Amino acid sequence: MTAIPDLVGRRAVILHRPDDGTQRLVRQLGLLGLNAHVQWAPLDLQATPADIVLVDADQGWPGLLPWSGRPASVPLVALLQSEAPGRVAWAIAEGALAILPKPVAPSAVYPALVLAVTAHARAVETAVRMERLEERLRMRPLVHAAVRAIERAARCDEEAAYAALRRAAMKRRITIEQTAAEMLAGVIPLSEAG
């Protein structure tokens, strides 16, 4: 079962023109334990730190959010009244992970925040995992070269050379790719893998 994130104490920035609807949203966020700030200007996370951003997708423009064109650095919830495909597409392109229909119903706020926070955490985990895998993939030629070097030095077959490389990596508690790079650089002697 997925753990429900704790929202208490988080900072929410609402990018929306101040009106009665935003005041109700601020009140509901307060009841959920969040600190809310309303502004209708481009977001600068240095000046206005945020853990969650809620943005008026009906009126949003390119440059309103600091991560345009990149993955959102915080969970993003779109506040949307329009059914216009262009507005929905803008919200998606900016990284919205949940939608709160306007006028906002208080009962819809908590589920939208939980969904956005959970989806953002998963996206961050996936990006980190992908980065690690891509790094390992880039280093595969080094593993291949190290296996070949061990084969020659120890006069063994590929399977035995790979097993020796794996043992050396486990002994040092580093990845096979790091071990291969260090062997090829002469930091780890080939004899240690044999």
Side-chain angles (χ1 to χ4, degrees):
M1 177 181 242
T2 301
I4 301 297
D6 184 10
L7 301 176
V8 175
R10 295 198 189 206
R11 297 163 299 190
V13 172
I14 304 168
L15 297 176
H16 197 289
R17 285 187 177 91
D19 61 15
D20 291 341
T22 56
Q23 291 312 310
R24 285 191 300 274
L25 181 55
V26 167
R27 187 171 49 252
Q28 186 62 29
L29 291 171
L31 292 172
L32 294 171
L34 288 94
N35 302 309
H37 169 75
V38 178
Q39 70 180 50
W40 189 233
L43 180 62
D44 177 357
L45 289 173
Q46 299 296 328
T48 311
D51 300 309
I52 301 169
V53 174
L54 298 96
V55 62
D56 181 359
D58 291 317
Q59 301 294 320
W61 68 87
L64 179 60
L65 298 164
W67 52 76
S68 291
R70 298 184 319 270
S73 57
V74 297
L76 180 66
V77 177
L79 302 168
L80 191 63
Q81 184 171 12
S82 171
E83 294 179 16
R87 295 287 80 204
V88 175
W90 182 86
I92 292 169
E94 294 298 325
L97 299 169
I99 291 178
L100 265 174
K102 294 189 298 186
V104 174
S107 62
V109 175
Y110 180 72
L113 294 177
V114 168
L115 181 62
V117 169
T118 303
H120 186 265
R122 286 183 180 168
V124 168
E125 279 179 23
T126 299
V128 167
R129 194 173 324 123
M130 285 296 295
E131 191 175 305
R132 275 194 230 122
L133 289 172
E134 287 170 356
E135 178 64 22
R136 291 184 77 183
L137 187 59
R138 278 192 298 277
M139 293 183 75
R140 286 318 276 181
L142 295 177
V143 172
H144 183 71
V147 167
R148 294 292 170 242
I150 294 168
E151 282 181 64
R152 286 190 302 276
R155 292 189 169 84
C156 61
D157 64 7
E158 183 178 2
E159 190 175 323
Y162 187 79
L165 179 62
R166 186 175 56 245
R167 278 192 309 276
M170 290 172 68
K171 179 179 174 185
R172 290 180 167 263
R173 296 179 182 232
I174 59 175
T175 67
I176 288 176
E177 292 79 9
Q178 290 170 311
T179 305
E182 290 183 15
M183 279 187 176
L184 293 172
V187 175
I188 301 173
L190 287 174
S191 60
E192 189 174 314

